[in-house]
Amino acid sequence: MSSLPINPPPRLLMGPGPINADPRVLRAMSAQLVGQYDPAMTSYMNETMALYRSVFQTQNEQTLLIDGTSRAGIEAAIVSLVAPGDRVLVPIFGRFGHLLGEIAERAGAEVHVIEREWGTVFTEAEIERAIVATKPTLLAVVHGDTSTTAAQPLEGLGALCEKHGVLFYTDVTASLAGNTFAADELGLDAVTAGLQKCLGGPSGSAPATFSPRAVEVIESRKSIEAGIAGSADEIAASTDRRIRSNYFDLAMIFDYWGAKRLNHHTEATSMLYGARECARLLVEEGIENAVERHRLHGSAMLAGVGGLGLTVFGDLEHRMNNVVAVEIPAAVNGDAVRGELLTDFGIEIGTSFGPLHGKVWRIGTMGYNARKDAVLTTLASLEQVLRRHGAPVVGGGGVSAAYDVYQDAGAAA
């Protein structure tokens, strides 16, 4: 075993996430620990809740952090909202729709799916027909799926869910802070996210928000664990509908973050510092400004890969601002190009999964890396590696096309 200090190589992370964390977030995470019920700590918790209400654009009281990666947030939401036998509808248009379906199945739900070709999205009418046919308790939708770079339109789905008495959940891990999103305006009951993409932090904390309607469902399944219950009355007499996870039991987590300060777990203090700083920086920048920043640099990257002569994958009308999928040229070994880009230039771009494995690269412009220098450096480096591998690229075309986008944006400003 090596006893040397950790010393990561310098990398520019231009894949679909994680990205380079904002240095200000890393500095916040290096702050000293305090006890979980120290007044300073509970104050930070309250401030974090308020900040994420602004980030999610919600008035929900139950807006907090789930300790764990973005997948922890997904699992907490689904296992706490869905009892065994409940029906869940999942529209699948990429890898992460399959993930929502599997988590719901593991929670004992009767899962119904509708599927679209990867790179496309559903119409409102398609989703309504599925709701009418399956009569679900919960509609679970990925907002932006980085496996395809597509963003499912959410407008109108909240009204559909209200009309049919369905809870509405979405995972915004890949899209939050880089694309327009307003939880209350969209009629959402549950939303979960992660820090490692447009929020500019490390993976390990999952911001989440829950509507009063969702809270009512979760509270109806409440049972405090015996070792911390104030009385036997707080322990559910029947376990039939009790939330099947202790760690991800949102009813107890709500009490931990609330006035009761239930001793459910020990908060991941350093991650809370980081998550709080991610939200603070975003609110300081302005949500609309952050979305526009991602749109600008994402547009420059999109133009740049086109300028190189590469083909973009998927429905561009519904592409996320912060990631683009590029078809790998036929004569090129995609993994070899990625490897050389990493080894020689210190730049990471992503591959993909399932039906797109080995067929596309995914290039992100998100969070701290949604910057002009990062875009231009990536395009210039990619051109040189592609040339070495015999790809017919347009010399200087990538950087030139990106510059045109920036020039037009400057003129418009």
Side-chain angles (χ1 to χ4, degrees):
M1 292 180 62
S2 172
S3 60
L4 295 175
I6 290 175
N7 185 28
R11 297 288 190 242
L12 177 59
L13 302 180
M14 297 298 286
I19 50 80
N20 298 91
D22 190 305
R24 293 169 291 184
V25 173
L26 297 178
R27 285 196 292 270
M29 293 180 69
S30 69
Q32 185 55 272
L33 305 184
V34 293
Q36 62 178 330
Y37 298 115
D38 189 296
M41 182 61 175
T42 54
S43 177
Y44 292 148
M45 293 172 75
N46 291 339
E47 291 167 8
T48 300
M49 296 174 82
L51 285 165
Y52 276 99
R53 290 187 190 106
S54 296
V55 171
F56 286 118
Q57 297 191 49
T58 183
Q59 297 298 313
N60 293 338
E61 177 184 358
Q62 299 298 356
T63 302
L64 38 72
L65 304 177
I66 310 298
D67 288 344
T69 65
S70 50
R71 188 172 301 213
I74 296 169
E75 189 149 340
I78 291 176
V79 76
S80 296
L81 286 169
V82 176
D86 284 351
R87 293 182 181 181
V88 175
L89 174 62
V90 184
I92 297 175
F93 59 101
R95 173 196 170 180
F96 294 101
H98 286 287
L99 174 64
L100 299 191
E102 176 171 327
I103 290 174
E105 284 179 350
R106 287 174 180 246
E110 178 186 321
V111 177
H112 298 263
V113 304
I114 52 176
E115 295 192 52
R116 287 292 305 262
E117 181 183 357
W118 287 29
T120 67
V121 296
F122 293 90
T123 66
E124 184 180 324
E126 287 174 316
I127 293 176
E128 182 168 28
R129 283 196 295 270
I131 288 174
V132 171
T134 61
K135 298 179 175 58
T137 299
L138 177 73
L139 172 66
V141 186
V142 175
H143 182 211
D145 196 314
T146 51
S147 67
T148 69
T149 75
Q152 170 62 46
L154 301 179
E155 291 77 11
L157 300 186
L160 282 183
C161 288
E162 185 175 9
K163 173 183 174 183
H164 295 285
V166 178
L167 289 168
F168 183 20
Y169 160 70
T170 190
D171 165 36
V172 296
T173 298
S175 55
L176 186 65
N179 302 265
T180 300
F181 179 82
D184 287 358
E185 187 178 307
L186 290 166
L188 279 148
D189 292 299
V191 186
T192 63
L195 305 182
Q196 72 272 19
K197 298 182 188 284
C198 300
L199 282 167
S203 179
S205 183
T209 187
F210 301 90
S211 74
R213 188 165 71 138
V215 171
E216 184 178 355
V217 171
I218 292 165
E219 295 283 358
S220 74
R221 305 179 65 201
K222 186 172 186 175
S223 181
I224 306 299
E225 64 181 83
I228 55 176
S231 70
D233 293 339
E234 293 184 328
I235 304 171
S238 170
T239 61
D240 290 349
R241 288 186 58 82
R242 183 174 65 178
I243 294 169
R244 293 300 178 98
S245 171
N246 178 292
Y247 187 74
F248 293 133
D249 185 327
L250 285 174
M252 288 196 285
I253 291 172
F254 291 164
D255 280 349
Y256 176 71
W257 280 79
K260 292 182 180 179
R261 300 296 176 191
L262 182 76
N263 191 8
H264 174 255
H265 65 283
T266 302
E267 182 58 24
T269 308
S270 298
M271 284 307 308
L272 182 142
Y273 294 165
R276 178 183 176 277
E277 185 69 356
C278 287
R280 189 191 70 80
L281 292 171
L282 180 60
V283 170
E284 181 178 80
E285 180 181 7
I287 308 295
E288 291 183 0
N289 293 334
V291 170
E292 173 57 24
R293 173 168 57 86
H294 284 84
R295 187 207 63 77
L296 171 62
H297 298 298
S299 296
M301 183 64 78
L302 176 65
V305 295
L308 285 173
L310 301 173
T311 300
V312 177
F313 170 82
D315 176 5
L316 293 185
E317 182 182 353
H318 296 107
R319 185 185 67 85
M320 283 187 287
N321 288 333
N322 50 296
V323 62
V324 60
V326 180
E327 295 183 11
I328 299 172
V332 165
N333 182 316
D335 287 342
V337 168
R338 290 180 61 240
E340 195 167 308
L341 196 61
L342 184 69
T343 301
D344 293 348
F345 293 90
I347 298 174
E348 179 181 281
I349 63 173
T351 182
S352 195
F353 317 100
L356 297 181
H357 180 68
K359 296 181 179 179
V360 302
W361 294 309
R362 294 175 299 152
I363 306 175
T365 48
M366 59 183 84
Y368 182 67
N369 292 347
R371 309 188 315 264
K372 182 178 179 179
D373 64 298
V375 170
L376 298 179
T377 299
T378 300
L379 289 168
S381 302
L382 180 60
E383 177 188 337
Q384 295 307 313
V385 175
L386 286 171
R387 281 179 174 279
R388 285 176 52 81
H389 284 259
V393 294
V394 178
V399 169
S400 178
Y403 264 128
D404 287 344
V405 171
Y406 290 126
Q407 184 172 343
D408 289 346

